[in-house]
């Protein structure tokens, strides 16, 4: 019986289906988080919510993710990846039900809190499982699928929300029915995915705080900065695009903001596919350059009120996000000890969600004073500074790695 189970597990790994399903957990979790963004304006109109209330509802999701990562970030290292992923998916399904029955702001706070907790539980375990499922743990390929699934999840989730709120009957319920159906299908698929944590390493449900082993602090710092500049700008963009896109694209349709989110998210999936042979530090450098250039072009397009500039800036920012995320995840994936992968991935996601939430929350309150365009300029400039600092650090790390690599003459 054990031989049959082992053979089945081997077939699943070689087929790539287990890998695709695990990557889909990340994509669907982030897609579900982006889908409500186009709905917030409808929520505010229907239930007479103030902008500050909507900002706090968004913050509730982010704080839920951070709480889950802090408390349960390392559980899958001792309990196993699959049961933790399943637990996260069940929580995500429960949040969809709360969204469906919501009839006021308190329900939205509850739904986003449950969704945040479930997402935090699922993504850290799924990120660690990806490193172990692909050909014995290929960190570069695992990071590629992590970034692509994340980018497409955000882009498609944002567009789907806009399309459904524009055309679907019952736009405050239908999106969550569709998401719930997808989650159920993914739950059924994950039941057959093999466990990647060896049996002798599974000591049961043990709570331990995320952490970074001392020996990988240097690469983790670089990766953390790469995640910071990419996710913080993504958060600012998602928070302001609902106001900026309709004004610059001269449309009242929700599709404007949905297409803008797809432009950024979809473009973010391209650099990882084209730069797999680049060193991670070089990818972070290119991410910094593209992101800084995209911020500058976006600031100009907002001042000039040009739709073409806005679209071009969104695409360039997407390129920067793709390069930066891929380089950061590859850096951490290669450095993380096998027995502490979930712990390190949870620590990286804590940095990511702090970066995507705190600036976005601050921008949500600042926009009432400065307006959306000036708010983007202020926060974009701050993110550009972080991006350029990261560029300098990545260049220094790559030079050090090049000097440390033995040449053929040294080997001789």
């Amino acid at each position: 019986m054990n031989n049959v189970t082992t053979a089945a597990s081997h077939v699943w790994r070689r087929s790539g289906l287990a890998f695709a399903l695990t990557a889909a957990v990340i994509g669907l979790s982030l897609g579900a988080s982006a889908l409500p963004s186009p709905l917030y304006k409808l929520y505010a109109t229907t239930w007479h919510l103030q902008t500050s209330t909507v900002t706090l509802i968004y913050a509730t999701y982010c704080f839920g993710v951070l709480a889950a990562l802090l408390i349960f970030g390392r559980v899958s290292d001792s309990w196993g990846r699959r049961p933790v992923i399943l637990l996260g998916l069940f929580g995500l399904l429960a949040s969809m039900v709360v969204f469906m029955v919501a009839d006021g702001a308190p329900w939205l706070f509850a739904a986003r809190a449950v969704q945040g907790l479930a997402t935090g539980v699922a993504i850290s375990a799924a990120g660690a499982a990806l490193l172990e499922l692909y050909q014995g743990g290929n960190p570069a390929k695992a990071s590629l699928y992590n970034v692509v699934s994340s980018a497409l999840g955000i882009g498609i989730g944002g567009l789907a929300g806009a399309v459904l709120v524009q055309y679907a009957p019952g736009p405050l319920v239908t999106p969550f029915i569709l998401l719930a159906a997808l989650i159920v299908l993914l739950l059924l698929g994950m039941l057959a995915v093999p466990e990647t944590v060896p049996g002798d390493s599974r000591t049961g449900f043990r709570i331990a705080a995320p952490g970074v082993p001392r020996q990988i602090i240097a690469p983790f710092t670089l990766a953390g900065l790469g995640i910071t500049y990419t996710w913080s700008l993504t958060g600012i963009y998602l928070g302001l695009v609902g106001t900026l896109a309709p004004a610059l694209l001269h449309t009242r349709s929700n599709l404007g903001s949905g297409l803008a989110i797809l432009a950024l998210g979809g473009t973010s999936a391209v650099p990882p596919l084209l730069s797999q042979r680049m060193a991670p530090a070089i990818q972070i450098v290119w991410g910094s350059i593209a992101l800084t250039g995209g911020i500058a072009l976006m600031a100009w397009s907002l001042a000039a009120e040009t739709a073409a500039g806005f679209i071009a800036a969104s695409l360039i920012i997407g390129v920067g996000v793709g390069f930066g995320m891929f380089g950061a995840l590859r850096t951490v994936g290669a450095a993380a000890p096998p027995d502490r992968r979930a712990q390190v991935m949870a620590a990286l996601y804590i940095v990511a969600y702090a970066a995507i939430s705190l600036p976005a929350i601050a921008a949500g309150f600042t926009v009432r004073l400065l307006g959306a365009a000036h708010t983007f300029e202020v926060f974009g400039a701050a993110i550009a500074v972080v991006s350029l600092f990261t560029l300098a650090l990545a260049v220094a790390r790559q030079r050090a790695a090049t000097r440390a690599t033995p040449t053929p003459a040294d080997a001789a």
Side-chain angles (χ1 to χ4, degrees):
M1 185 68 178
N2 288 336
N3 291 337
V4 173
T5 303
T6 302
S9 174
H10 183 65
V11 170
W12 265 84
R13 288 171 184 261
R14 289 185 62 83
S15 70
L17 185 56
F19 194 83
L21 285 171
T22 306
V25 171
I26 297 175
L28 184 59
S29 297
L30 295 181
S33 73
L35 186 141
S37 295
L39 303 179
Y40 284 141
K41 185 182 295 184
L42 183 57
Y43 281 129
T45 303
T46 304
W47 297 332
H48 309 290
L49 305 181
Q50 296 183 353
T51 303
S52 57
T53 302
V54 174
T55 300
L56 291 174
I57 291 171
Y58 170 79
T60 301
Y61 163 79
C62 296
F63 292 149
V65 175
L66 291 172
L69 293 170
L70 285 168
I71 299 171
F72 303 110
R74 200 184 175 185
V75 166
S76 72
D77 283 335
S78 60
W79 194 24
R81 312 297 184 210
R82 186 173 62 179
V84 175
I85 293 173
L86 291 174
L87 179 64
L89 289 175
F90 274 115
L92 203 59
L93 183 60
S95 72
M96 297 300 107
V97 175
V98 180
F99 273 118
M100 291 179 206
V101 301
D103 60 0
W107 286 92
L108 289 183
F109 277 107
R112 288 297 263 176
V114 175
Q115 185 183 32
L117 288 168
T119 300
V121 169
I123 61 174
S124 61
L130 285 178
L131 292 171
E132 296 156 348
L133 278 169
Y134 197 90
Q135 296 179 354
N138 184 330
K141 194 64 72 172
S143 299
L144 168 67
Y145 280 85
N146 194 326
V147 175
V148 170
S149 60
S150 299
L152 292 180
I154 291 175
I156 295 173
L159 178 61
V163 171
L164 292 172
V165 77
Q166 188 72 30
Y167 299 112
L172 297 183
V173 176
T174 303
F176 305 108
I177 294 176
L178 296 177
L179 275 176
L182 292 175
I183 294 168
V184 170
L185 292 176
L186 192 53
L187 269 168
L188 295 175
M190 286 302 301
L191 289 173
V193 172
E195 178 55 60
T196 59
V197 177
D200 56 358
S201 300
R202 298 201 295 271
T203 56
F205 188 93
R206 295 176 56 191
I207 293 177
V212 182
R214 184 174 299 177
Q215 66 269 25
I216 70 165
I217 285 179
F220 185 88
T221 299
L222 177 61
L225 286 169
I227 283 291
T228 296
Y229 76 69
T230 55
W231 280 55
S232 57
L233 191 59
T234 301
I236 295 296
Y237 187 93
L238 292 177
L240 299 179
V241 70
T243 301
L244 295 175
L248 290 173
L249 300 178
H250 307 292
T251 177
R252 294 184 178 181
S253 171
N254 292 294
L255 291 180
S257 57
L259 289 171
I261 295 172
L262 179 64
L264 186 145
T267 310
S268 300
V270 176
L273 298 172
L274 303 179
S275 66
Q276 297 178 53
R277 295 187 178 182
M278 280 187 184
I282 298 300
Q283 291 170 331
I284 292 175
V285 167
W286 278 110
S288 300
I289 294 172
L291 199 84
T292 304
I295 291 172
L297 180 58
M298 180 66 77
W300 173 81
S301 69
L302 294 177
E305 298 183 356
T306 165
F310 173 75
I311 295 170
S314 299
L315 296 175
I316 294 172
I317 288 172
V319 170
V321 170
F323 270 122
M325 275 190 65
F326 191 30
L329 286 170
R330 283 185 62 194
T331 299
V332 166
D339 61 335
R340 301 180 68 179
R341 279 178 176 147
Q343 184 184 31
V344 174
M345 287 301 298
L348 185 67
Y349 275 120
I350 286 173
V351 175
Y353 271 91
I356 201 173
S357 60
L358 298 180
I361 294 167
F365 287 96
T366 305
V367 72
R368 295 194 302 174
L369 301 175
L370 301 180
H374 290 309
T375 297
F376 181 90
E377 292 167 358
V378 170
F379 283 86
I383 295 169
V385 171
V386 176
S387 174
L388 293 174
F389 176 77
T390 308
L391 184 152
L393 191 62
V395 169
R397 180 173 176 80
Q398 182 60 27
R399 286 178 176 173
T402 302
R403 287 194 297 267
T405 302
T407 63
D410 293 334

